[in-house]
């Protein structure tokens, strides 16, 4: 017999797992979170201090999800004195004909027009006049969307953790990875080195570690695990306004870049700039190196040197992070019912893969809604989010 019973077991205590626990407890569910390491760690997709928040997407349903998430961000903000999203705008610029993992400028403008999201179109000269960039190719174009900003990731995780624990219905077991899972009645029994637990429902939110977690179910899914490098650069002209930004360039221009303004929660006096491509693509998160790639750092420094003003081009406070991305480029996120033991189970949901920082509060609600009753879409006000856009092509574990 299991040692304890819960309405929900969450495997993975990162940002999405903690959001799921909070949203479940708000519905009165007694919830257990099993975390392989400690909460608020830097070993997975929750590494680092900041993420970008934006409304613009090349896919209408993703932009609608960002719009719907604003209510959930406001609710989570009520659980902390720290500002979770600093709204300093989102700037996209570069070659408007190009696409990337982030979408594309022209496609995003079409979606914003359809959803009546306001933005300002800019030429390269206007970008240089308004923001601290220089020597941009004169055929570059872009836009500024004022609702975008920068997420304090650790404050968000802390707020979700505090909100979950404040309900009195959530237990957090750190340093207790799941080692086995078996069907047990209408639910699942999850075993660890410390005990066994019955859950009427199961949410797998293990990020890059998802395939290790799924092995007891005989399942795996197609993801690439990107190891990425970033660095901070000293601000030499602090009066200059810098939004969050992303530049679209062709591969011949070395790389795609993105960046953040200076914030007080991460190396005050420095702005972050990063390459938007992997140093390495890993098959297993255990292959991760915490040493940033020297070539990526040099590309960062060269971009700052050639195209930015008000920053010293010497990289400082360098780091790496892991991000799981779907092998299928049409899948922005992977979120699906898990076909455990040969048939779909509406009481087991797996989330992994994607740039999901901007969805942390609403993603937990999405998972809990799916576990409340079988769903094919999720409705938030005027927006209907089709779950088949996030479906997983399941494989047998190898």
């Amino acid at each position: 017999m299991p040692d304890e019973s819960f309405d929900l077991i969450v495997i993975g205590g990162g940002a999405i797992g903690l959001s799921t626990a909070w949203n479940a407890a708000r519905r009165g569910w007694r919830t257990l979170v099993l975390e392989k390491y400690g909460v608020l760690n830097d070993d997975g997709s929750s590494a680092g201090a900041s993420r970008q928040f934006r409304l613009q997407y090349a896919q209408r349903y993703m932009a609608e999800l960002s719009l719907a998430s604003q209510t959930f961000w406001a609710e989570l903000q009520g659980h902390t004195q720290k500002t979770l999203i600093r709204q300093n705008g989102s700037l996209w610029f570069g070659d408007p004909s190009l696409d990337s993992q982030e979408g594309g400028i022209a496609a995003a403008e079409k979606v914003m027009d359809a959803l009546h999201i306001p933005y300002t179109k800019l030429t390269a000269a206007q970008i240089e006049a308004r923001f601290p960039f220089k020597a941009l190719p004169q055929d570059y174009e872009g836009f500024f969307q004022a609702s975008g900003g920068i997420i304090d990731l650790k404050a968000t995780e802390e707020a979700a953790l505090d909100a979950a624990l404040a309900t009195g219905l959530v237990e957090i077991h750190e340093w207790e990875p799941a080692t086995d899972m078996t069907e047990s009645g209408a639910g699942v029994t999850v075993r660890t080195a410390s005990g066994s637990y019955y859950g009427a429902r199961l949410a797998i939110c293990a990020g890059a570690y998802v395939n290790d977690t799924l092995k007891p179910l005989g399942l795996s899914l197609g993801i690439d695990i990107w190891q990425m490098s970033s660095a901070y650069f000293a601000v030499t002209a602090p009066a200059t306004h810098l939004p969050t930004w992303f530049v679209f360039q062709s591969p011949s221009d070395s790389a795609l870049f993105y960046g953040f303004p200076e914030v007080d929660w991460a190396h005050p006096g420095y702005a972050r700039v990063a390459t938007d491509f992997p140093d390495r693509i890993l098959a297993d998160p255990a292959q991760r190196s915490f040493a940033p790639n020297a070539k990526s750092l040099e590309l960062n420094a060269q971009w700052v040197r050639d195209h930015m003003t008000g920053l010293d081009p010497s990289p400082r406070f360098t780091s790496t992070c892991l991000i799981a991305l779907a092998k299928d480029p049409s899948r922005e996120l992977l979120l699906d019912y898990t076909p455990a033991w040969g048939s779909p189970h509406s009481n087991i949901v797996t989330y992994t893969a994607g740039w999901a920082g901007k969805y942390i509060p609403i993603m937990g609600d999405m998972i809990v809604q799916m576990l409340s009753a079988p769903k094919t879409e999720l409705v938030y006000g005027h927006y209907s989010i089709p779950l088949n856009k996030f479906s997983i092509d399941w494989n047998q574990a190898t």
Side-chain angles (χ1 to χ4, degrees), residues 93-122:
F93 64 97
D95 185 338
S97 69
L98 292 179
D99 290 323
S100 77
Q101 287 280 352
E102 299 293 327
I105 293 171
E109 289 178 347
K110 289 180 180 179
V111 171
M112 289 191 290
D113 289 340
L115 294 175
H116 307 291
I117 297 171
Y119 65 96
T120 302
K121 289 179 69 69
L122 300 167

Side-chain angles (χ1 to χ4, degrees), residues 54-388:
R54 58 183 165 94
L55 298 180
Q56 68 267 20
Y57 264 94
Q59 303 84 6
R60 178 168 178 148
Y61 62 90
M62 294 295 285
E64 290 177 339
L65 191 57
S66 288
L67 288 165
S69 76
Q70 293 177 305
T71 298
F72 290 82
W73 277 107
E75 291 176 356
L76 188 59
Q77 181 64 70
H79 292 272
T80 181
Q81 296 297 311
K82 297 179 180 179
T83 300
L84 298 183
I85 300 179
R86 183 167 296 175
Q87 192 179 69
N88 47 7
S90 175
L91 173 67
W92 276 18
F93 64 97
D95 185 338
S97 69
L98 292 179
D99 290 323
S100 77
Q101 287 280 352
E102 299 293 327
I105 293 171
E109 289 178 347
K110 289 180 180 179
V111 171
M112 289 191 290
D113 289 340
L115 294 175
H116 307 291
I117 297 171
Y119 65 96
T120 302
K121 289 179 69 69
L122 300 167
T123 65
Q126 289 170 329
I127 292 167
E128 291 178 3
R130 185 170 173 180
F131 303 105
F133 296 98
K134 65 181 181 180
L136 300 177
Q138 289 308 293
D139 61 346
Y140 276 14
E141 300 175 10
F143 61 79
F144 177 75
Q145 205 292 309
S147 299
I150 182 169
I151 299 167
D152 184 338
L153 181 61
K154 292 308 175 189
T156 299
E157 288 184 280
E158 290 169 3
L161 175 62
D162 291 345
L165 293 176
T167 65
L169 294 173
V170 177
E171 290 185 25
I172 310 287
H173 290 199
E174 299 178 286
W175 306 100
E176 192 172 345
T179 57
D180 193 23
M181 292 172 245
T182 56
E183 194 167 18
S184 180
V188 181
T189 295
V190 179
R191 295 176 181 82
T192 74
S194 301
S196 62
Y197 311 97
Y198 170 81
R201 307 167 185 86
L202 175 65
I204 297 173
C205 305
Y209 300 85
V210 65
N211 281 330
D212 280 345
T213 305
L214 288 166
K215 280 182 180 178
L217 304 182
L219 296 169
S220 68
L221 49 82
I223 57 171
D224 288 326
I225 302 171
W226 284 20
Q227 177 177 306
M228 303 177 72
S229 294
S230 68
Y232 287 79
F233 297 85
V235 177
T236 59
T240 302
H241 171 67
L242 182 66
T244 59
W245 57 272
F246 190 92
V247 60
F248 295 81
Q249 300 182 133
S250 68
S252 62
D253 293 319
S254 299
L256 302 171
F257 295 87
Y258 65 99
F260 301 82
E262 174 189 4
V263 291
D264 53 7
W265 63 75
H267 309 300
Y270 292 79
R272 182 179 163 212
V273 179
T275 50
D276 191 47
F277 71 93
D279 301 336
R280 303 163 61 203
I281 296 179
L282 312 179
D284 188 311
Q287 299 169 335
R288 177 187 184 178
S289 166
F290 286 87
N293 180 274
K295 181 178 179 181
S296 292
L297 295 181
E298 176 51 33
L299 288 170
N300 273 3
Q302 189 67 45
W303 167 263
V304 172
R305 189 178 302 117
D306 292 347
H307 297 296
M308 298 194 73
T309 64
L311 296 182
D312 184 313
S314 302
R316 298 284 187 267
F317 307 111
T318 61
S319 64
T320 65
C321 67
L322 296 182
I323 177 71
L325 296 175
K327 287 183 178 292
D328 179 352
S330 70
R331 295 286 187 262
E332 289 283 340
L333 305 169
L334 293 180
L335 174 66
D336 205 351
Y337 292 105
T338 304
W341 305 287
S343 61
H345 278 49
S346 60
N347 62 340
I348 307 174
V349 165
T350 292
Y351 160 76
T352 188
W355 312 97
K358 60 191 72 63
Y359 300 124
I360 290 168
I362 197 172
M363 184 64 68
D365 179 80
M366 294 170 70
I367 292 169
V368 171
Q369 279 204 57
M370 291 172 68
L371 290 168
S372 299
K375 302 281 187 182
T376 58
E377 63 181 10
L378 298 175
V379 178
Y380 292 103
H382 299 297
Y383 309 125
S384 178
I385 310 301
L387 290 174
N388 64 357

